[in-house]
Structures are given as structure tokens and as C-alpha cells.
Amino acid sequence: MPTPRPQPSALSTALVIFAKAPIPGQVKTRLCPPLTPDEAATLHGSFVIDTLERTKLAAAKLKWSVDRYLACAPSSTHVFFKIMEERHGVKVIDQVGDDLGARMSQACESMFARGYSHVVMVGTDVPTVPFDHFAQARAQLERHDLVLGPAFDGGYYLIALKRMAPELFTRIPWSTNQVLNLTQEKASSLGLLTTLIQPWRDVDTLADLQALIETNMADSKKPKSERTFSTRTAGVLETLAKRLRSRT
């Protein structure tokens, strides 16, 4: 018998986290070199776990009723994702499509088809994004059709919708500094009422990584209860900082 699809919560918001399995040579390749493929995969894996932990904690702290989905590549059957499903109480789905836009469009359409009235999609490259950014995005959907979280590189780290708009995900030069502006232009042409939440830095380049390392150094001086970084990611960043210094 086919497995029944999960049913939406009473306050039907779906939060879809897009993630790749931490396979060396397939993630964070723009950081290699100076990182090795294994180091890049370790960093990426820690970011994925951070995002799962932070979204769960955000939902609890903000009393935000949300169903969390992990959109997986290359497949939700990968052992890493099966562990994430078991340990973090997240539903897993496959990413389907030839490029990022197609995969986001399919995931969004799937969530609306399941009966959700609001869909929030986020990546795993923003391990320090504040909890209230998720609340801001959800709250803004009450007054807007589209909410975007701008990234410093000209893209976006978060997109939230309350109705399907597949045109937002087509003919976009992904991984360029045109993504945010072109998405806003498309939204305007479609008559979508759009707003932005606070920008945040994602981690794609060596400069982004160096900035994150510096942020972690400052964070480590705070009391443990006030720190932003997980102990796991802080340890990874400290190790990478030492290795990068030795390589230069």
C-alpha cells in the first residue's frame, strides 16, 4: 500500500529546508581550495544540522505552528537524511528538477497541493540567521504575497509565498548577483505584493567563510547561553581557521 502523505497542521505553514547530502566534492565546491573536499563536506553537514536545530528551536520559542520538510539531494534515501529524519523530527522529500529554480518551484507546488496556505523555503548556508527572521517572514505573509530574505551577494536566503507563482523560478541566473533583483521584477510584473526582511550573509565564497570565522571568534567570547553558533559548528570553524592559517 502507498504511504499516506502527511497532513498539514491546523495553522498550515510549511517550512521547506533545501539541503544536499554532505558528499565530498559535491558541496561547497567554491571553497575548494583552500578547503579540501572532506573539510567542505564537514562544514556543510554541520550547517544542515544547524538549520534543523535552529528552525525547530525558532518554532518553539516563537510558538510558531509549522511543519518542517527537508528537501533532499541527491535523494531522501541517503543515509544522512534518514538520520536527520529520525533525530530531528523533520519530514523528508526529494528535490525534483533540473536546476534550483525548478526544484524550488516543484517543492512549493507540492506543499500547496498538500493543503498548506503558506510556504517558506530556506537554504542551509545561513547558520547564524536570527530566529525572528522566520517569524518576520511568516508575519509579513499576512499582508503580502511574497516575502524575500536578501543575501549580501545579490541572491536571497529565504522566500515565502501564500500562493503559487512558478514564473518566479524560471529564467533566473542562479548563483549570480542578479537573482534578487530579477525575482522582484518578475513579482512586480505578476502583480504580487512583495516585501523584504532583513538581509543576511550566506556562505558561498572564501570571503564569506572568513567573515563567519571572525563572527565565531567574537561569539566565543560571550557567555555560553548567549552564543549564536552551535558547539559543533564553532569547533569546525576553529579547526578550519587554524588549517587555513597554516596553509597561507
Side-chain angles (χ1 to χ4, degrees), residues 163-184:
R163 66 181 175 89
M164 190 59 196
E167 297 89 347
L168 294 176
F169 306 105
T170 60
R171 295 190 176 186
I172 298 290
W174 303 105
S175 301
T176 72
N177 60 6
Q178 303 176 58
V179 172
L180 179 67
N181 287 339
L182 288 176
T183 301
Q184 289 178 285

Side-chain angles (χ1 to χ4, degrees), residues 12 24 61 88 226:
S12 59
K61 282 193 169 186
H88 297 280
E226 298 177 11

Side-chain angles (χ1 to χ4, degrees), residues 51-127:
T51 306
L52 291 171
E53 291 175 346
R54 289 179 71 78
T55 53
K56 183 177 182 179
L57 187 58
K61 282 193 169 186
L62 301 168
K63 298 182 180 179
W64 181 27
S65 180
V66 60
D67 290 337
R68 294 180 307 140
Y69 288 81
L70 189 61
C72 309
S75 169
S76 59
T77 61
H78 190 283
V79 64
F80 176 78
F81 294 129
K82 302 310 289 184
I83 293 171
M84 295 302 100
E85 180 182 29
E86 181 178 348
R87 291 185 180 176
H88 297 280
V90 65
K91 304 173 178 70
V92 295
I93 58 175
D94 287 322
Q95 293 186 30
V96 179
D98 293 332
D99 64 11
L100 178 59
R103 294 191 289 270
M104 287 197 293
S105 182
Q106 191 279 333
C108 192
E109 184 176 9
S110 173
M111 293 300 109
F112 284 124
R114 294 180 187 215
Y116 292 99
S117 57
H118 302 83
V119 178
V120 181
M121 296 185 287
V122 66
T124 57
D125 289 338
V126 283

Side-chain angles (χ1 to χ4, degrees), residues 179-206:
V179 172
L180 179 67
N181 287 339
L182 288 176
T183 301
Q184 289 178 285
E185 290 175 8
K186 280 179 173 284
S188 178
S189 69
L190 293 169
L192 298 178
L193 186 59
T194 305
T195 191
L196 304 179
I197 59 173
Q198 290 178 321
W200 209 254
R201 181 189 291 274
D202 54 10
V203 183
D204 290 320
T205 66
L206 181 58

